[in-house]
Amino acid sequence: MTTAILETPSQTKPAKQKVMLVEGNEAAALGVALARPDMVAVYPITPQSSLVEHVAKLIADGKMDADIVDAEGEHSVLSVLQGGALAGARTYTATCGPGLAFMFEPYFRTSGMRLPIVMSIVTRDGITPQSVWGGHQDAMTVREVGWVQVYCETVQEVLDTTIMAFKIAEHHDVMLPVNVCLDGNYLSYGTSRVELPDQAEVDAFMGVKDVNWHVALDPLRPMAVDPLTGGSGGKGPSTFVRYRKGQCKGMQNSLRVIEEVHAEWAQRFGRSFAPLVEEYRLEGADYAIMTLGSMTGAAKDAIDEARDAGKKVGLIKIKTFSPFPVDALMKSLDKVQAVGVVDRSVGFRWNCGPMYQETMGVLYRLGRHIPSMSFIGGLAGADITVGHFHRVIEATEKLLSAPAPIEPVWLNEKD
Amino acid sequence: MANFGGAYNTIAFDANKCDGCGDCMTACATAKVGVGDTARSRIQIVGSADDGFELALCRQCADPKCVTVCPAAALTKNYASGVIDWNGDKCVDCLLCTVGCAYAGIALDAGTGHVAKCDTCDGAPACVPACPHDALTYVTTSRIYNEVGDWEDLFAPGLAGCQGCNTELLMRHTLRRVGPETVLATPPGCVPGMGSVGFNGTTGTKIPVFHPLLTNTAAMLAGIKRQYKRVGREVNALAIAGDGGASDVGFQSLSGAAERNEQILFMVVDNEGYMNTGMQRSSCTPYGAWTSTTPIGKGSGGMPAQGKTQDAKNLPLIMVNHRCEYVATASTAYMEDLYDKLDRAIQASKRGFAYLHVYSPCTTGWRFPTDQNMEVARKAVETNFVMLWEYNRTDGLRFTRPVDDPLPVTEYLKAMGRFRHLSPDQISHIQAKVVENLAFVKQMAHRQSA
């Protein structure tokens, strides 16, 4: 029943694929190995740890030819990779939660330097309250920093998207770092059947590595990287503006490139994922619920049951959260009369979920009033069950006939 | 005319240290004529108008008047050694040269009936080690000028340092030495503040250069070096960082890179604070020093604010405890020492982590006249406030310029305004700390070499 908003190419070319049973973290590591990075820097943090352990073992076993740097913290992890990328390396790491917070200083800078580093965020809720469990708060907190951020729904999607992320990041029209977000606990440790692409096929898909054509620290082509700009005089302000505008353009370009890369993936490997926005049973729906990440599985089950019960409800899933797929989402929202948005994190400033906040912006641009409301669930590892989604569906349905509540609904508050 | 325009080694004289004992003359006469007759010495210490002493000795002039006036061509400038050679076979004993020389550097030796002059004992002058007061030194820095002078200066002309700052000197020398196959990291501070990474698209450096963050210099360099190693290219990874970024907020990445023995050369220019941003305190700021965040004031409760209340963190010793490939301290007042260490650090960085800590007096932040930089740097060493040593895992730690008879630390402290307010108690504290630090490093030198 899954239909991508983008027309998917015909899946006529079944590729050689090995079938395995792996957890999401191992799937990510296998994807990394297939993408053949030159350099991986690691620092362990729950629930990411088994991911970097898998990467380390793949390298130790000779199944992956990369330089592994066991750095002394996330701040250095990303800094090592910046240096590597500036010297021409394809680079990868993974982190989450407090690790991402510690990494923030070089994290902000990576997109500014246009370094195509790929980093998994095995999403974890923010502390404090103290917690080691999943939630999107970490990734959401850095959504405004110029990284491309995509969220996966399944373990297979983690594997495939991890490979695609390198191609998206290194596309000359993008040249931005990419976060592949996989839900801590639910995807990191969730074990599923996956199909492992063939290395030669992935090599052909990836093409020629070209990481530092635009900015390099190389004695063969000496340049000053990141000289001082800005201020209020001379060429400073316009130079700074051109840098920033270029970043924003790269972000917008990535929307097209993400679609292209997903289409090519489907063609080569026979598996298609909605690149930006997925619609599920939205045709003929009066209202929709919106989801992000692994919660979507339970949400789809709830939609199926609701549809069976005669409710005209559909689902909109966001895969690409940054840049926010405004046009794609506008087209989907235009098909319904009300929407309920389920977030796995909070937006402290608006007292709602961050994705809901973004959606309100899209609704404004749509220019047609659609009642909407915010649901917050699955914080700190809590499960969002089919039962929770039925509550979401019922509450959203009420928007068709009653005023929308301003307060968010906290799904696990009384669990 | 080989080496025309080159530099030569010279014998230098410090009149302040000379007490006229004459030991140098005895040594010279013994070396040259076999008897300790000071009248026949080619170096003569004579009374000066101010009741001190001055030196009568051949200066081995570049434009020697003795050579010009000699009618027999018996005196010639040797452009290989720099020495004015006297040829007895040609000399006609007219003594015109003794009149031509303004320094009384050539004189009649009554014992032979001919003129005699200093020939520097072929580069090992006997007078220098004979001086019990270190008033004579044989300056061999010409090596640096001659070797390095023709190498390409890899910085743009006119870096925007403060007047009298020695860091530009250090940067230019270091880059010349390391050469163009280098990637240079200059984290926020005085070094990029001088324009090494440039402004608005222009660069101050002819090799690849970048601003790391203040916090991640060692980590970024490690990534660069590793990738070049992976693809089989020999590229030096060099940091020229300030003490703040290294000892405070950047310490974690520094320590991590040292522990991983990354093949980089990390040079810290220690001006004992955040001088580029307005002279704030760092953990390398010494006890009692004024900085803009450890200001002087009346305080409260009868406790006046009198500068920094903690002792400096000794970063180079901490690096020794990482068992780095090479660790050394250096000073621009001792360039030969610095160059030796730079050579060894570069070599060590091809094997693992090399750390060079260079003390860098700051005219602006330490408050001393702009022509006093080298003097302040020298006084720091002569008082043992700063110790020059080096470490490697095989030979342990050793002093490279031990100061056995140090000046009181007040000789150093009084040279600058940042210590002007010190109370007698504070001075005692600093002097005691100098003694304690020396004892500690000595013990370490002993233990590591044992």
Side-chain angles (χ1 to χ4, degrees), chain B residues 318-335:
Chain B
I318 295 169
M319 297 317 290
V320 167
N321 276 320
H322 285 74
R323 303 294 187 269
C324 297
E325 205 68 28
Y326 185 75
V327 181
T329 61
S331 163
T332 49
Y334 300 88
M335 287 300 280

Side-chain angles (χ1 to χ4, degrees), chain B residues 64-77 84-101 106 115 117:
Chain B
K65 293 294 181 285
C66 58
V67 172
T68 311
V69 299
C70 177
L75 289 160
T76 48
K77 174 79 173 176
I84 311 292
D85 290 331
W86 174 72
N87 185 338
D89 294 338
K90 290 183 179 175
C91 181
V92 295
D93 298 325
C94 68
L95 304 185
L96 270 177
C97 55
T98 64
V99 181
C101 177
I106 186 163
V115 290
K117 66 176 289 300

Side-chain angles (χ1 to χ4, degrees), chain A residues 37-39 65-73 75-76 79-80 82-84 86-89 102 105-106 109 113 209 212 216-230 233-236 239, chain B residues 180-184 196-216 218-228 230-231 233 235 252-257 259-260 262:
Chain A
D38 299 287
M39 188 178 292
D65 174 25
D67 188 1
I68 184 165
V69 186
D70 287 281
E72 79 292 342
H75 192 286
S76 283
S79 303
V80 165
Q82 288 180 349
L86 285 163
F102 181 41
E105 193 191 19
R109 204 177 186 219
M113 288 200 289
K209 181 185 68 181
N212 66 344
L217 286 167
D218 184 346
L220 294 178
R221 42 189 177 121
M223 65 174 82
V225 171
D226 216 2
L228 200 65
T229 66
K235 291 193 292 178
T239 305
Chain B
E181 288 300 311
T182 302
V183 174
L184 173 64
S196 58
V197 194
F199 303 96
N200 294 329
T202 61
T203 175
T205 312
K206 297 178 189 172
I207 59 168
V209 62
F210 67 107
H211 279 124
L213 296 165
L214 188 57
T215 44
N216 72 353
M220 276 189 81
L221 267 180
I224 292 162
K225 178 71 182 188
R226 279 169 176 262
Q227 178 61 14
Y228 284 119
R230 179 175 165 84
V231 299
R233 283 178 58 190
V235 174
Q252 176 173 322
S253 76
L254 174 65
S255 176
E259 182 264 337
R260 295 190 303 273
E262 304 283 2

Side-chain angles (χ1 to χ4, degrees), chain A residues 197-216:
Chain A
D198 176 69
Q199 180 69 66
E201 301 262 2
V202 174
D203 290 346
F205 167 78
M206 291 298 292
V208 179
K209 181 185 68 181
D210 189 14
V211 171
N212 66 344
W213 56 275
H214 61 311
V215 56

